[in-house]
Amino acid sequence: MSHIPLSQPDITDREIDAVVATLRSGRLSIGPEQEAFEHAVANASGRTQGVAVSSGTAGLHAVLLALGVGPGDEVITTPFSFIASANCILMAGATPVFVDICPKSLNMDPARTEAAITAKTKAIVAVEVFGNTTHLRELERIAQRHEVALVEDCCEALGGVTACGRRAGSFGRASVFGFYPNKQITTGEGGMIVTDDHALADRCRSLRNQGRTPQAHHGADRAAGSWLAHQQLGYNYRMSEITAALGNAQMARLPQMLDARRRVAGDYMRQLMDCDDLVLPTVEAETDATMSWFVFVVRLGADYGRVERDRIIDGMKRHEIGASNYFPCIHLQPFYQERFGFKKGDFPIAERISERTLALPFYNLLDERSIELICRTLRLMVDRERLLKR
Ligand SMILES: *Cc1c(COP(=O)(O)O)cnc(C)c1O
């Protein structure tokens, strides 16, 4: 066994056959695969409408535009996430307002979120960081109380269920999934907007398709003239039939893939449980909450900092084990600092956590022996740091 990657997609003959069949069908865009994929993902999240798009980022951008978010508006979100959850706010021309996170769930803190709402607040983009659905119901209530739109960025949470039985993708006005290769299911590149709001879904359908009417189709079944009629400024955020076919094959295996990920996370938990220098992911105590594992991120205890964390990541890599610093804080990315004047210390909880987190290899097919190798190597690195501190 040599290199263990950080992430790896789970592609079987089922996916390959589905893609080949679509290639042979002659229909490569806007067709039955897209429609089936939209139904599958909407169903899985308890929504009535699905709008397939070219990426999670495209989906978030389209939803904010469809909600009327624009210049002069503030949108509240988390500084501890993949950058797309904040970039979509900039793409819509609005101002991101960050709030600090809860150190257990790593999601944005509901109390701080409510306190950040002003007359200019138009929406909240709530992220289920690392697949953890904690606080989403509370954030939804806060959004309702203040009459601002909640957008759920569930790009990391497909298959997650809250303690109260709500599924990831069911919160707020609209929710967005992403299907990049490291997500629970992948289409290579792709995303899905889900909502119960037909009108909102139709605005997203128009935005993804160059501002055409939601019903516009090219070719034999197009309504007369609809293909070259553009009602508004739109984008090409469409998903191809090839991509959607891959998505349908992956969705058919979703329960099995979620099980595999739960097994990998469980193995990690067992093997690292007694390591005093590591903080393991916190899963909601309530028995019926189901975490949808996206990555396995641990963090060093409070005695450690960025230097030790980075040295451990480098050490893991030297031993041919993938590891990464999920996530650097968004507000400290240079272009955010320059444009909005953010600085170190603005969101101390997120910053202190972000400098001590490291993601370990995580994918469906990661076997027990590899997990043991990873954990033993990690322990060695952590022990070494403890000795260096003395
Ligand atoms: C993956 C991800 C996205 C979307 O990413 P794309 O690469 O555009 O599909 C958005 N938000 C979060 C939190 C993500 O992890």
Side-chain angles (χ1 to χ4, degrees):
M1 177 167 43
S2 61
H3 182 250
I4 304 175
L6 193 57
S7 158
Q8 192 174 278
D10 178 0
I11 300 294
T12 64
D13 282 346
R14 184 174 189 142
E15 281 80 3
I16 294 167
D17 292 348
V19 167
V20 170
T22 304
L23 287 170
R24 291 193 199 286
S25 77
R27 181 121 189 199
L28 301 188
S29 186
I30 312 178
E33 292 293 339
Q34 175 189 295
E35 205 171 305
F37 190 37
E38 289 176 339
H39 282 134
V41 179
N43 267 338
S45 46
R47 296 281 208 178
T48 60
Q49 304 288 306
V51 183
V53 285
S54 53
S55 71
T57 309
L60 289 165
H61 183 207
V63 166
L64 289 183
L65 293 179
L67 287 168
V69 173
D73 295 330
E74 291 178 355
V75 179
I76 304 173
T77 191
T78 172
F80 187 74
S81 171
F82 179 61
I83 197 162
S85 56
N87 277 357
C88 62
I89 300 166
L90 271 57
M91 290 160 78
T95 306
V97 174
F98 294 110
V99 293
D100 216 339
I101 61 171
C102 156
K104 273 173 123 177
S105 65
L106 308 184
N107 288 341
M108 57 203 282
D109 182 321
R112 286 191 167 89
T113 304
E114 186 156 30
I117 295 175
T118 70
K120 288 183 175 171
T121 307
K122 186 89 178 199
I124 299 169
V125 174
V127 184
E128 282 148 320
V129 177
F130 304 148
N132 193 330
T133 52
T134 308
H135 309 313
L136 261 290
R137 201 161 72 130
E138 214 178 329
L139 289 166
E140 186 180 62
R141 284 209 200 99
I142 290 167
Q144 278 164 355
R145 194 152 60 229
H146 294 271
E147 298 186 355
V148 300
L150 179 78
V151 175
E152 179 189 9
D153 178 347
C154 46
C155 283
E156 305 187 354
L158 180 65
V161 183
T162 64
C164 57
R166 290 273 302 271
R167 281 174 276 178
S170 71
F171 292 94
R173 294 287 303 278
S175 312
V176 179
F177 291 103
F179 309 122
Y180 188 73
N182 66 343
K183 313 279 183 185
Q184 282 87 345
I185 71 159
T186 186
T187 59
E189 298 286 356
M192 183 75 70
I193 300 161
V194 294
T195 179
D196 290 320
D197 182 335
H198 289 239
L200 184 67
D202 272 349
R203 287 199 294 280
C204 292
R205 289 184 183 110
S206 171
L207 286 165
R208 87 169 156 190
N209 193 17
Q210 310 278 18
R212 294 177 175 107
T213 62
Q215 296 77 28
H217 283 283
H218 192 244
D221 50 11
R222 93 183 119 173
S226 72
W227 191 250
L228 292 178
H230 306 270
Q231 270 71 29
Q232 59 173 336
L233 174 65
Y235 301 82
N236 181 354
Y237 283 170
R238 294 186 305 264
M239 172 181 279
S240 81
E241 282 289 281
I242 306 159
T243 301
L246 177 50
N248 283 321
Q250 290 261 291
M251 277 306 280
R253 295 172 53 230
L254 179 63
Q256 162 200 335
M257 296 206 281
L258 294 176
D259 280 349
R261 298 173 90 82
R262 208 166 294 131
R263 175 194 57 79
V264 173
D267 282 351
Y268 267 128
M269 286 287 203
R270 266 189 301 283
Q271 297 210 26
L272 295 173
M273 210 158 47
D274 60 340
C275 189
D276 293 337
D277 293 303
L278 289 179
V279 183
L280 301 185
T282 316
V283 184
E284 259 186 314
E286 292 94 323
T287 46
D288 55 349
T290 309
M291 172 96 170
S292 176
W293 290 93
F294 166 56
V295 283
F296 197 83
V297 174
V298 299
R299 68 178 188 265
L300 297 173
D303 302 343
Y304 300 90
R306 182 187 305 276
V307 174
E308 292 86 1
R309 191 275 311 271
D310 288 348
R311 207 154 41 209
I312 292 173
I313 290 177
D314 287 344
M316 298 291 281
K317 286 183 180 160
R318 270 201 304 280
H319 286 85
E320 305 205 293
I321 294 170
S324 185
N325 59 332
Y326 282 19
F327 289 113
C329 283
I330 296 173
H331 68 283
L332 297 180
Q333 297 285 351
F335 71 102
Y336 276 82
Q337 290 200 46
E338 269 161 41
R339 191 154 151 200
F340 300 101
F342 293 121
K343 56 188 184 315
K344 265 200 180 122
D346 284 348
F347 305 101
I349 302 173
E351 289 170 29
R352 269 297 282 151
I353 286 173
S354 149
E355 63 191 19
R356 289 179 289 132
T357 45
L358 71 144
L360 299 174
F362 193 79
Y363 45 93
N364 302 357
L365 303 173
L366 191 61
D367 60 90
E368 226 177 311
R369 206 166 73 88
S370 302
I371 297 173
E372 189 176 344
L373 186 70
I374 295 160
C375 292
R376 286 197 187 207
T377 310
L378 177 61
R379 279 166 176 279
L380 195 74
M381 299 292 156
V382 173
D383 284 347
R384 192 173 166 274
E385 291 303 330
R386 188 184 319 117
L387 288 173
L388 282 173
K389 280 185 100 63
R390 283 225 299 253

